[in-house]
Amino acid sequence: IVDMMRRLFLAVISVLLIAGFGSCSSKKAESVIAIKVTDGVTKDVPVLYMPDGSQISVALSQDAAGAAAGTAAINVDCGTYVRLGYKYTSRLLWVAPGAEVNVSFESEKFYRGIDVAGTDADINGFLNSNVYKYATIDDCQLGEQEYIALAQSLLERNLGLLADQGFSGGFVEKEK
């Protein structure tokens, strides 16, 4: 039963992720992601993981303030999720067409969080705030009906949190 519940949970998550990729504009626009490691140049390289599976390494160089900074330009035709990887952790970013997303963090504290400014900073802050609740591995011990009830209540709670933010545009639909 536990194995069946895990498979059901993974199937539901997969369907939700796939359903989120709706149609977009046929015109792509350049978006810029600026990354700043506030405590200086590091040997670690930030990597942007794109929805199509490609990866973009962001070269960093020391700026006038002594921080390590770099930018990457990407072309998107609609708002999309991009994962920013650094060392052994990653953070989720929302990038809209024509956006300028500015990310800053301390090298040794990336795993704790990032600061995001620029286009859709409120959305990126929300995505990295860890407010969503998920079923835990211990919940797999529940009976089938209890697990389904838990999953439904968590979904309703998370959708309520999303609605309370007042975000507009394609983000809310894709996030659902």
Side-chain angles (χ1 to χ4, degrees), residues 66-84:
T71 60
I74 61 172
N75 290 309
V76 296
D77 56 358
C78 63
T80 192
Y81 297 103
V82 174
R83 189 144 291 275
L84 170 61

Side-chain angles (χ1 to χ4, degrees), residues 22-170:
S23 62
C24 298
S25 167
S26 61
K27 295 182 180 179
K28 289 190 175 195
E30 184 176 87
S31 300
V32 176
I33 301 172
I35 298 171
K36 181 181 281 191
V37 182
T38 58
D39 52 349
V41 175
T42 172
K43 64 181 168 71
D44 300 297
V45 177
V47 178
L48 299 173
Y49 297 96
M50 306 304 294
D52 65 1
S54 64
Q55 300 176 15
I56 301 170
S57 296
V58 182
L60 300 175
S61 58
Q62 192 167 9
D63 68 9
T71 60
I74 61 172
N75 290 309
V76 296
D77 56 358
C78 63
T80 192
Y81 297 103
V82 174
R83 189 144 291 275
L84 170 61
Y86 186 73
K87 294 188 177 186
Y88 303 106
T89 309
S90 65
R91 294 285 172 183
L92 190 60
L93 299 173
W94 173 257
V95 181
E100 184 175 316
V101 179
N102 302 302
V103 180
S104 62
F105 56 89
E106 289 182 43
S107 179
E108 299 303 319
K109 295 182 180 177
F110 180 78
Y111 70 94
R112 289 188 184 165
I114 58 175
D115 293 318
V116 184
T119 309
D120 294 325
D122 53 345
I123 291 174
N124 283 305
F126 176 76
L127 286 174
N128 287 283
S129 66
N130 298 317
V131 295
Y132 284 143
K133 300 295 179 205
Y134 303 95
T136 66
I137 192 70
D138 293 334
D139 294 327
C140 292
Q141 296 176 7
L142 297 172
E144 182 177 0
Q145 293 305 314
E146 292 93 1
Y147 187 84
I148 291 170
L150 173 66
Q152 184 63 37
S153 69
L154 290 172
L155 177 61
E156 290 171 8
R157 179 193 180 279
N158 290 339
L159 288 174
L161 284 170
L162 179 61
D164 290 346
Q165 303 306 309
F167 299 135
S168 61

